[in-house]
Amino acid sequence: METETFDAITQIQAYFREAARTFETTIHDLHESKGHHPSQDNKNQISKEQKDFVKDRAERIFRLMKEADLLLGSLPTQFDSEEKQLHQIRKLEEENREAGRKLKEATKLAEEWQRKVSSRIQLVAKEAAVLRNPTI
């Protein structure tokens, strides 16, 4: 449950960052005018290309906000108490210690088997050398 919540929060943050970036670049691009200046007669007039550009960017921002809103709706309305969260952290720490202990045991066992196999290979190599050349 917590993982899904954190994933949703991360996605929401990404949506808001993308929307802010889109809004910022839109304002910058409009300010730069992209070579489409209003006419001298009507300073508020913008070209069809600019209207399409603004409409496209606005739709993108609204889509991002809609997706963020849907994710916000999926978040739990109430989080666990601090005591419960601390209990969960202690439980995870204990699981981590146990996994570390098992890893140490597995490493020792692997090293032991590696020594046994190496020793056996050396023995077989010596026996094969003796069989090929009995004078050794």
Side-chain angles (χ1 to χ4, degrees), residues 42-81:
N42 186 354
K43 299 219 184 267
N44 295 323
Q45 179 183 0
I46 61 173
S47 69
K48 169 140 175 47
E49 187 177 311
Q50 282 181 315
K51 286 179 186 177
D52 292 343
F53 172 77
V54 170
K55 182 181 176 194
D56 177 60
R57 293 289 178 98
E59 286 173 355
R60 182 174 180 184
I61 291 169
F62 284 125
R63 179 185 50 79
L64 289 166
M65 291 299 103
K66 179 182 175 185
E67 291 171 5
D69 188 50
L70 289 172
L71 283 172
L72 282 168
S74 72
L75 292 175
T77 56
Q78 194 172 27
F79 291 97
D80 292 335
S81 68

Side-chain angles (χ1 to χ4, degrees), residues 2 83-93:
E2 289 100 16
E83 181 181 320
K84 195 170 182 179
Q85 290 177 24
L86 289 172
H87 174 73
Q88 181 68 20
I89 289 171
R90 284 188 212 100
K91 181 181 171 189
L92 291 170
E93 286 174 337

